[in-house]
């Protein structure tokens, strides 16, 4: 495609089809989810003219050529159940409609009906919005605002950015074959971003928190290219795109990674679906902060840029109804609808923009479609018979994609060809002009209008989604643009680069000689150029460059009074309680702390009653942006379900993904808002790491702080629930995330110590960007008091401490317990002493992950410092002199304690854990089944000691008999 003018370089192509199969109703009716009906059946009657649409619920259906089909859906049946108070009047209206259809046809009828609806809405006659509108721009030309920018300069800047974005990817792949990167995504979305950069995105240089912008991950080259133009990055930086090792780790991340570029990126995206989900909850959290009067968030908008293919992810669309329910008009999604994903078309046989419109509208969003560029407005104005509109409606995305690569004549013959009235509309356009009819997503004017409408929408209560139609690979030349393989193209040869240069009208900036010796030149306009001055002035006016991650704490946090933890330290006496109950008390005390309390953000996904946390409802109140508009059924109870607009608890409902997104929003508030908040997200541990592991990595990337509380932990401790509830592996998964500090506390005072020191580490002077994962159990037992010795909290935090010395005995062993395994281990120790004269030292292993990380780091240090005095890993130092073999029991998989096995030299290390499929039964039965009950611990200990020769083998047999263990029972791992 050759563009004749600078603007033509950004003009989109359109496409048309001739004798082709008609679209199925799928492309027109909203998704079944939006209307709750089976759409696989056809509806309505066939059109009798080319300009007629089959009837569907929106009135904007597709043309049919098939004979009339049976009506199988009852759509407006409800109306027959309402009394008709004036049948004559009704008849008159219906007759009028029939007459219009007879005389002027269905198009006219549809027009009048739409006008009626518009009038009804103006007159506040509430009527459910139709979920779908015709395939044209939402904002009519006459409603477009004046464009305040300098069109020419913006286009020049955009061209420079396009150039550098492409160049850095191509260069990276030339220097390192296979290093990857994406050319065509940003090529399709340059105008989407630049409209934001020049007119809307608010920065933070003025001391505010600016807008929160979630960039489409693989559009990152474009964002770097702009930062380069602004002088924030150097050529050397661009040359280190995807080369993050060396230069003190100062490469440019492939995608937005705050962990790796902590001064630049704020919000990690690129795992498809997570950007939009976390953006949505960020917008919600901003409202939460505002309503609780902790932070004025009214000036910050949340922008999320996503791909149309990305909308297939359940995370992308799964929470959109929350945004309208919560009236998040501070939220704007911009979907880059280039109609393509990685392998090919997003909806070859349908229309992704229409589908998304229906989905978002059905969920109560303000939908702005930017489909056609300005040049189409004149054509639509000529479309008296609705034939053009009909053709737009009926052309499939697969066809549109094809037309991006065809010539003008093909477009004339096919898209405008079949109907003489249609052909007439474009009779005065040349083939070149036809080819250059733009798509809306490349038209800065249309985009400006859409963004302005979206930002002006504040106060309406509706979130906005902008559906912008673009061409994937736009301007990158015929071998890349619109091709199915475009997503993966990373290389351009000199010839292709020259085509790009020509398309961008950058001959003066990049002369042919710039390519001598296979050079690959970037281009940055000099600081005294009008382009540079314009670009920088725009950013200055909007509060400085974005993205920029700044940790500027405006309202420091004050850590809680240490006395808050005392209650858990003294233990529960004879009263049997669980660590979950202990934690709940602690949470309440933390929230009551006069200074610290307001920063506590309890997050729960509809499990508060399960965890006994419903006691907090009345006291802390559940956040409900609109307050409580009803009297709850339990209003007269002490623990009633109390909602308030300044409520503290985020009761998320049944969405672990949403809850994790809230956790991230709260746990990054120290950076995004300059107001440290402390999330405590309590959930079924089974539905944590395995369910939302991707989000937990995102939390780590975002440098989130806070506490993940995995309740109902343990494969045998949670009884009765069975396979899908019993977690025996979240600690394994937790071990994979470096920023995660994973703990498996056995006693309430351990929980207190971990939370206390965790708070100090994250929110005190150390200011570490880590988060904590604690398992919580629902088994009740008397909670002992903290051992009386200095530094016990630090011992708990290092992962292992001696809990009880071994009694006097000739034969001794070392037993390690974690979490709820403490009961069986303590019982086993008693049995071993009573029946076999074995005295056991008992240790609480609070964190094998921490021990292993220390051991690995020590091992590494020793390897690299061979001539220095070797260091000793903590776990080695602690256990090397402990008596006898080491038996480690856990309610998790054996691999959890095994993490440290190698670091306990010259000793037998026997892990006992719950490997296998969970199942439902009593705790006793489950522990026997998984071979982690006291009896099995006794047997395992005796067997290990017997191997060392300190007891006879017969003792093992004796114990097997004593406790009724079946030596032939099937291995629990395989049943
Ligand atoms: C969860 C997840 N799955 C797969 C990928 C790999 N991936 C990266 S981009 C992409 C295609 C994206 O298509 P679309 O959302 O339409 O974006 P476009 O590049 O077309 O703007 C895929 C599958 C990913 N990043 N994340
Ligand atoms: Mg796409």
């Amino acid at each position: 495609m050759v563009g004749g003018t600078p603007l033509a370089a950004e003009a989109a192509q359109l496409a048309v089809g001739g004798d082709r199969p008609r679209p199925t109703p799928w492309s027109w009716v909203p998704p079944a989810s939006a209307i709750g009906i089976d759409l696989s059946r056809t509806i309505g009657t066939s059109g009798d003219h080319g300009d007629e649409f089959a009837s569907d619920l929106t009135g904007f259906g597709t043309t049919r050529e098939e004979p009339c089909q049976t009506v199988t859906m009852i759509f407006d049946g409800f109306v027959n159940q309402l009394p008709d108070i004036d049948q004559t009047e009704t008849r008159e209206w219906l007759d009028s409609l029939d007459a219009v259809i007879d005389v002027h046809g269905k198009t006219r009828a549809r027009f009048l009906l739409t006008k009626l609806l518009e009038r009804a809405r103006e007159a506040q006659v509430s009527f459910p919005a139709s979920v779908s509108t015709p395939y044209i721009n939402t904002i009519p030309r006459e409603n477009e605002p004046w464009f305040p920018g300098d069109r020419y300069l913006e286009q020049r800047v955009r061209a420079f950015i396009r150039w550098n974005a492409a160049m850095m990817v191509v260069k990276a792949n030339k220097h390192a074959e296979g290093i990857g990167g994406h050319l065509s995504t940003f090529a399709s979305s340059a105008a989407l971003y630049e409209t934001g950069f020049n007119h809307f995105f608010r920065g933070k240089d003025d001391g505010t928190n600016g807008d929160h912008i979630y960039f489409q991950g693989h559009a990152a080259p474009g964002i770097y290219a702009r930062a380069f133009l602004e002088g924030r990055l150097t050529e050397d930086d661009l040359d280190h795109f995807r080369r993050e090792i060396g230069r003190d780790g100062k490469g440019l991340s492939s995608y937005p990674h705050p962990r790796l570029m902590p001064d630049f990126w704020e919000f990690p995206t690129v795992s498809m679906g997570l950007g939009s989900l976390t953006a949505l909850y960020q917008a919600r959290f901003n409202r939460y902060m505002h309503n609780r009067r902790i932070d004025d968030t009214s000036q910050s908008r949340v922008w999320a840029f996503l791909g149309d293919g990305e909308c297939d992810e359940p995370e992308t669309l799964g929470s959109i109804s929350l945004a309208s329910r919560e009236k998040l008009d501070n939220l704007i999604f911009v979907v880059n609808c280039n109609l393509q994903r990685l392998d090919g078309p997003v909806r070859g046989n349908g229309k992704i923009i229409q589908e998304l419109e229906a989905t978002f509208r059905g969920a109560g969003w303000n939908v702005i479609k930017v489909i056609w560029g300005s040049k189409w407005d004149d054509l639509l104005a000529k479309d008296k018979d609705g034939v053009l509109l009909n053709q737009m409606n009926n052309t499939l995305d697969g066809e549109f994609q094809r037309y991006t690569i065809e010539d003008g004549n093909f477009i004339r013959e096919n898209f405008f060809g079949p109907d003489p009235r249609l052909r007439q509309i474009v009779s005065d356009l040349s083939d070149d002009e036809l080819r250059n009819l733009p798509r809306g997503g490349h038209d800065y004017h249309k985009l400006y209008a859409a963004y302005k409408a979206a930002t002006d929408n504040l106060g309406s209560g509706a979130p906005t989604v902008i559906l912008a139609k673009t061409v994937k690979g736009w301007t990158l030349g015929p071998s890349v643009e619109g091709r199915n393989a475009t997503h993966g193209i990373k290389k351009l040869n000199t010839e292709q680069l020259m085509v790009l240069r020509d398309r961008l009208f950058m001959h003066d900036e990049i002369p042919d000689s710039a390519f001598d010796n296979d050079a690959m030149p970037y281009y940055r306009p000099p600081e005294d150029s009008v382009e540079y001055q314009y670009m920088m002035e725009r950013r200055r006016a909007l509060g400085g460059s974005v993205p920029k991650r700044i940790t500027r704490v405006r309202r420091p946090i004050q850590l809680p009074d240490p006395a808050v933890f005392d209650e858990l330290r003294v233990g529960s006496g004879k009263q049997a309680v669980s660590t979950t109950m202990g934690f709940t008390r602690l949470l309440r005390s933390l929230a009551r702390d006069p200074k610290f309390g307001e920063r506590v953000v309890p997050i729960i996904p509809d499990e508060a009653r399960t965890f006994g946390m419903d006691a907090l409802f009345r006291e802390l109140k559940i956040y409900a942006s609109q307050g409580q508009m009803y009297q709850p059924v339990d209003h007269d109870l002490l623990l009633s379900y109390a909602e308030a607009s300044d409520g503290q608890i985020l009761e998320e409902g049944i969405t672990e993904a949403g809850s994790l997104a809230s956790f991230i929003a709260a746990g990054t508030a120290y950076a995004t808002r300059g107001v440290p908040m402390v999330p405590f997200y309590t959930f079924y541990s089974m539905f944590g790491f395995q369910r939302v592991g991707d989000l937990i990595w995102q939390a780590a990337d975002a440098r989130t702080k806070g506490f993940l509380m995995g309740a109902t932990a343990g494969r045998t401790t949670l009884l009765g629930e069975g396979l899908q509830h019993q977690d025996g592996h979240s600690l394994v998964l937790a071990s994979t995330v470096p920023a995660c500090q994973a703990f498996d506390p056995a006693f309430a005072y351990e929980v207190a110590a971990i939370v206390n020191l965790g708070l100090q580490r994250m929110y005190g002077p150390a200011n570490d960007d880590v988060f904590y994962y604690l398992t919580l159990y629902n088994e009740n037992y008397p909670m002992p008091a903290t051992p009386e010795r200095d530094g016990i909290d630090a011992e708990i935090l290092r992962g292992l401490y001696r809990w009880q010395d071994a009694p006097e005995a000739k034969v001794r062993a070392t037993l390690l317990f974690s979490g709820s395994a403490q009961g069986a281990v303590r019982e086993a120790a008693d049995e071993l002493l009573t029946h076999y004269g074995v005295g056991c030292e008992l240790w609480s292993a609070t964190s094998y992950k921490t021990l292993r990380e220390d051991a690995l780091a020590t091992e590494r240090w020793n390897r690299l410092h061979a001539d220095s005095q070797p260091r000793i890993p903590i776990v080695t130092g602690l256990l090397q002199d402990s008596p006898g073999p080491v038996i480690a029991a856990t309610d998790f998989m054996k691999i959890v304690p095994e993490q440290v096995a190698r670091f306990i030299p010259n000793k037998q290390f026997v892990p006992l854990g719950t490997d296998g499929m969970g199942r439902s039964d009593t705790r006793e039965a489950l522990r026997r089944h998984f071979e982690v009950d006291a009896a099995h611990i006794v047997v395992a200990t005796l067997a290990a000691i017997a191997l060392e020769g300190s007891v006879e083998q017969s003792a093992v047999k004796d114990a097997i008999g004593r406790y009724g263990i079946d030596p032939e029972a099937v291995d629990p791992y395989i049943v």
Side-chain angles (χ1 to χ4, degrees):
M1 179 180 12
V2 182
T5 64
L7 200 59
E10 291 217 345
Q13 305 148 350
L14 104 104
V16 212
D19 281 334
R20 57 199 180 279
R22 298 290 85 204
T24 67
W26 277 104
S27 56
W28 274 101
V29 287
S33 58
I35 53 177
I37 45 179
D38 176 8
L39 295 176
S40 57
R41 314 285 181 86
T42 49
I43 51 171
T45 57
S46 63
D48 47 356
H49 306 295
D51 62 344
E52 306 299 11
F53 306 156
S55 67
D56 66 9
L57 73 165
T58 67
F60 300 106
T62 50
T63 309
R64 299 296 150 62
E65 289 171 352
E66 316 88 51
C68 180
Q69 308 219 3
T70 321
V71 176
T72 54
M73 292 193 305
I74 300 174
F75 202 78
D76 295 323
F78 72 91
V79 80
N80 297 319
Q81 299 179 49
L82 308 176
D84 189 346
I85 57 165
D86 186 344
Q87 295 194 4
T88 315
E89 186 183 44
T90 309
R91 192 68 258 153
E92 281 167 11
W93 278 76
L94 293 177
D95 287 348
S96 302
L97 179 65
D98 289 345
V100 171
I101 297 170
D102 284 348
V103 177
H104 297 293
K106 293 178 184 174
T107 302
R108 175 74 186 153
R110 185 175 307 107
F111 177 83
L112 287 175
L113 284 171
T114 313
K115 276 279 173 200
L116 275 177
L117 283 178
E118 189 187 27
R119 175 58 52 84
R121 239 166 251 132
E122 280 166 11
Q124 318 257 307
V125 178
S126 65
F127 198 88
S130 60
V131 291
S132 182
T133 63
Y135 200 61
I136 54 175
N137 296 340
T138 305
I139 301 176
R141 176 162 55 181
E142 56 273 22
N143 286 9
E144 284 170 12
W146 173 252
F147 178 68
D150 184 313
R151 182 189 117 173
Y152 173 73
L153 288 180
E154 288 189 19
Q155 197 220 325
R156 292 267 294 165
V157 169
R158 214 154 53 224
F160 300 156
I161 291 172
R162 285 178 178 285
W163 175 260
N164 291 319
M167 188 53 71
M168 66 189 287
V169 175
V170 174
K171 238 176 151 178
N173 283 276
K174 185 174 172 202
H175 294 313
E177 176 77 31
I179 201 86
H182 300 84
L183 292 170
S184 50
T185 297
F186 179 72
S188 64
S189 53
L192 302 186
Y193 289 113
E194 283 302 300
T195 305
F197 279 116
N198 284 322
H199 302 285
F200 294 97
F201 299 161
R202 295 178 58 96
K204 309 175 182 182
D205 290 359
D206 54 4
T208 66
N209 290 293
D211 284 347
H212 306 317
I213 308 164
Y214 292 67
F215 295 95
Q216 200 182 352
H218 52 292
I223 313 307
Y224 291 135
R226 172 168 254 271
F228 169 67
L229 239 60
E230 291 178 3
R232 299 172 63 202
L233 298 176
T234 63
E235 286 204 12
D236 195 40
D237 291 327
L238 298 197
D239 281 345
H240 283 81
F241 174 53
R242 294 188 165 231
R243 306 289 295 268
E244 301 186 88
I245 295 166
R247 281 207 330 159
D248 292 332
K250 294 226 163 71
L252 300 189
S253 322
S254 41
Y255 307 114
H257 294 314
R259 182 67 60 176
L260 301 177
M261 292 180 67
D263 303 324
F264 193 88
W265 295 115
E266 286 189 283
F267 304 104
T269 53
V270 97
S271 180
M272 307 265 113
L274 301 195
S276 42
L277 180 81
T278 41
L280 196 156
Y281 278 86
Q282 177 70 50
R284 195 309 202 80
F285 190 73
N286 278 6
R287 285 285 158 81
Y288 168 89
M289 295 280 272
H290 198 87
N291 287 345
R292 288 192 58 210
R293 294 180 166 69
I294 293 177
D295 186 24
D296 177 358
T297 59
S298 59
Q299 298 308 307
S300 294
R301 290 198 175 73
V302 180
W303 299 79
F305 288 80
L306 22 152
D308 46 0
E310 184 173 8
C311 292
D312 283 347
E313 290 284 4
E315 288 88 347
T316 308
L317 300 180
S319 292
I320 58 171
S321 59
L322 173 79
S324 42
R325 220 162 47 238
E326 291 284 303
K327 302 194 185 311
L328 300 182
D329 49 17
N330 55 345
L331 175 66
I332 300 167
F333 277 8
V334 181
V335 188
N336 174 18
C337 296
N338 53 28
L339 313 188
Q340 287 179 254
R341 46 185 165 78
L342 194 152
D343 283 342
V346 177
R347 294 287 184 277
N349 294 322
K351 290 167 103 71
I352 185 64
I353 291 178
Q354 297 303 95
E355 187 180 317
L356 290 176
E357 176 188 38
T359 305
F360 278 99
R361 274 191 152 216
W365 284 53
N366 171 38
V367 178
I368 303 175
K369 295 195 288 190
V370 187
I371 302 178
W372 308 105
S374 303
K375 292 181 183 174
W376 283 91
D377 291 331
D378 296 335
L379 306 187
L380 274 169
K382 293 188 204 167
D383 186 27
K384 302 279 184 256
D385 298 321
V387 282
L388 175 58
L389 181 61
N390 193 41
Q391 187 70 312
M392 289 168 161
N393 284 337
N394 284 321
T395 303
L396 298 173
D397 282 359
E399 294 171 313
F400 276 125
Q401 193 193 342
R402 162 119 191 255
Y403 303 145
T404 60
I405 62 160
E406 295 291 353
D407 62 20
N409 187 44
F410 184 91
I411 294 167
R412 189 185 306 282
E413 290 305 318
N414 292 278
F415 189 80
F416 295 103
D419 189 311
R421 293 170 295 178
L422 196 49
R423 190 180 277 262
Q424 179 61 29
I425 288 177
V426 291
S427 58
D428 57 342
L429 296 185
S430 70
D431 283 358
D432 262 0
E433 284 170 324
L434 277 187
R435 270 186 66 69
N436 289 329
L437 285 170
R439 284 187 184 177
H442 301 301
D443 186 321
Y444 65 92
H445 202 160
K446 298 283 183 201
L447 290 173
Y448 178 82
Y451 285 27
K452 176 106 175 53
T455 48
D456 287 351
N457 190 44
L458 203 63
S460 75
T464 296
V465 60
I466 295 169
L467 303 172
K469 187 172 179 180
T470 63
V471 175
K472 194 152 178 172
W474 181 233
T475 71
L476 292 177
S479 51
V480 182
E481 255 168 11
R483 303 281 164 186
N484 272 336
T486 187
H487 187 90
I489 295 173
K490 312 170 188 325
K491 291 183 180 171
L492 299 176
N493 57 30
T494 303
E495 202 180 315
Q496 289 171 309
L497 285 171
M498 284 183 168
V499 170
L500 174 62
R501 188 264 322 255
D502 294 348
R503 290 281 299 276
L504 299 176
F505 294 86
M506 289 176 62
H507 309 83
D508 291 343
E509 291 77 15
I510 319 249
D512 284 359
S513 58
F515 296 102
D516 286 352
N517 306 318
D518 286 339
M520 298 195 154
Y522 297 115
Y523 177 73
R524 172 149 59 188
E527 293 197 0
D528 57 0
S529 65
V530 281
E531 290 91 346
Y532 180 85
Q533 293 290 333
Y534 177 86
M535 174 182 73
M536 296 307 279
E537 185 281 323
R538 291 311 310 141
R539 286 315 315 159
R540 262 193 303 276
L542 288 161
S545 296
V546 288
K548 204 185 274 180
R549 186 175 183 276
I550 304 174
T551 308
R552 186 172 48 202
V553 173
R554 291 182 298 116
R555 296 193 53 204
I557 194 167
Q558 195 161 324
L559 288 174
D561 182 339
V564 162
F565 301 97
D566 288 348
E567 194 181 12
L568 268 57
R569 288 178 190 287
V570 298
S572 65
K574 291 208 167 84
Q575 201 190 349
V577 296
S578 66
T579 48
T580 310
M581 289 157 80
F583 165 69
T584 303
R585 288 191 86 95
L586 178 61
L587 184 61
R588 191 177 58 178
S589 305
L590 287 168
R592 279 179 178 172
D593 187 87
K595 296 249 166 55
F596 175 80
E598 66 163 18
R599 305 300 176 95
V600 172
V601 184
I603 305 170
I604 308 167
D606 199 33
E607 291 291 353
R609 293 182 199 281
T610 313
F611 309 144
M613 296 176 85
D614 45 334
L616 301 180
F617 287 169
R618 185 72 171 258
E619 182 169 347
L620 302 183
K621 306 241 175 7
I622 295 163
Y623 173 71
S625 55
Q626 299 164 68
Q628 191 157 35
M629 302 195 291
Y630 62 97
Q631 194 171 53
V633 66
D634 54 3
H635 64 99
D636 50 351
L637 299 183
L638 198 59
L639 303 182
S640 69
Y641 195 85
E643 297 178 283
S645 60
D646 61 351
Q648 190 160 359
I649 299 170
L650 285 173
E651 160 66 83
E652 299 292 11
I654 311 170
T655 166
E656 283 76 14
S659 304
L660 221 300
S662 278
F663 176 75
I664 294 172
T668 53
Y670 72 94
T672 54
R673 306 298 319 169
V675 183
M677 300 295 284
V678 187
F680 287 89
Y681 168 37
T682 313
F683 51 96
Y684 247 115
S685 75
M686 187 65 163
F687 306 132
F689 280 82
Q690 69 170 26
R691 179 84 183 218
V692 289
D694 199 357
L695 276 155
I696 289 175
W697 274 95
Q698 191 187 18
D701 192 345
R703 298 174 165 265
T704 308
K705 303 180 183 192
F707 294 90
L708 296 174
M709 310 300 296
T712 55
R715 190 159 274 147
T716 68
T717 307
L718 177 62
L719 67 162
E721 290 291 331
L723 178 63
Q724 290 195 352
H725 284 71
Q726 289 169 334
D727 169 32
H729 56 279
S730 65
L731 286 168
V732 182
L733 301 176
S735 281
T736 63
V737 183
C740 174
Q741 314 301 307
F743 288 86
D744 193 10
F747 306 120
Y749 69 79
E750 294 180 352
V751 173
I754 297 161
V755 171
N756 184 11
L757 294 194
L759 282 173
Q760 290 179 31
R761 180 172 170 193
M762 293 184 286
Y763 297 91
N767 205 13
D768 267 357
D769 301 343
V770 296
F771 57 86
Y772 282 68
Y773 175 57
L774 279 75
T775 55
L776 294 175
Y777 295 88
N778 65 356
E779 185 172 2
N780 295 336
Y781 41 87
M783 290 294 157
T786 309
E788 292 284 338
R789 58 178 184 264
D790 285 347
I792 180 65
D793 282 6
E795 288 185 38
I796 293 168
L797 264 287
R798 78 187 170 199
L800 182 67
Y801 67 96
R802 188 186 287 114
W803 187 74
Q804 198 172 78
D805 291 337
E808 275 305 316
K810 269 210 222 119
V811 182
R812 294 197 297 162
T814 300
L815 304 189
L816 273 46
F817 61 76
S818 307
S820 63
Q822 60 84 29
V825 169
R826 287 162 69 186
E827 189 186 332
D830 289 345
E831 292 287 306
L832 282 160
L833 187 65
T834 307
H835 301 294
Y836 303 99
V838 178
C840 296
E841 208 171 83
L842 301 188
W843 293 69
S844 177
T846 48
S847 178
Y848 287 108
K849 181 178 197 276
T850 307
L851 293 172
R852 174 172 181 265
E853 285 167 357
D854 164 76
L856 289 176
T858 308
E859 187 178 56
R860 173 178 177 272
W861 192 91
N862 289 343
R863 186 166 60 241
L864 298 175
H865 302 84
D867 49 357
S868 303
Q869 175 76 16
R871 295 176 178 172
I872 300 173
I874 288 172
V875 67
T876 312
L878 291 174
L879 293 180
Q880 64 192 356
D881 298 326
S882 66
V886 177
I887 287 78
T890 170
D891 208 9
F892 281 77
M893 292 176 71
K894 299 180 181 78
I895 190 107
V896 176
E898 261 183 318
Q899 291 180 89
V900 301
R902 177 167 90 66
F903 303 106
I904 307 170
N906 311 320
K907 265 187 188 300
Q908 283 187 75
F909 185 89
V910 183
L912 297 176
T914 55
D915 301 43
M917 305 286 267
R919 61 204 57 221
S920 180
D921 212 310
T922 63
R923 277 189 191 123
E924 294 70 31
L926 288 168
R927 287 172 180 168
R928 173 54 61 100
H929 171 81
F930 283 106
E931 302 173 0
V932 289
D933 61 359
H936 277 281
I937 296 170
V938 169
V939 170
T941 308
L942 290 174
I945 299 172
L947 275 182
E948 292 174 0
S950 306
V951 296
E952 296 295 324
Q953 280 292 350
S954 57
V956 181
K957 250 186 147 174
D958 178 81
I960 288 174
R962 177 186 305 277
Y963 302 113
I965 289 173
D966 174 8
E968 306 310 325
V970 187
D971 183 342
Y973 189 66
I974 52 175
V975 288

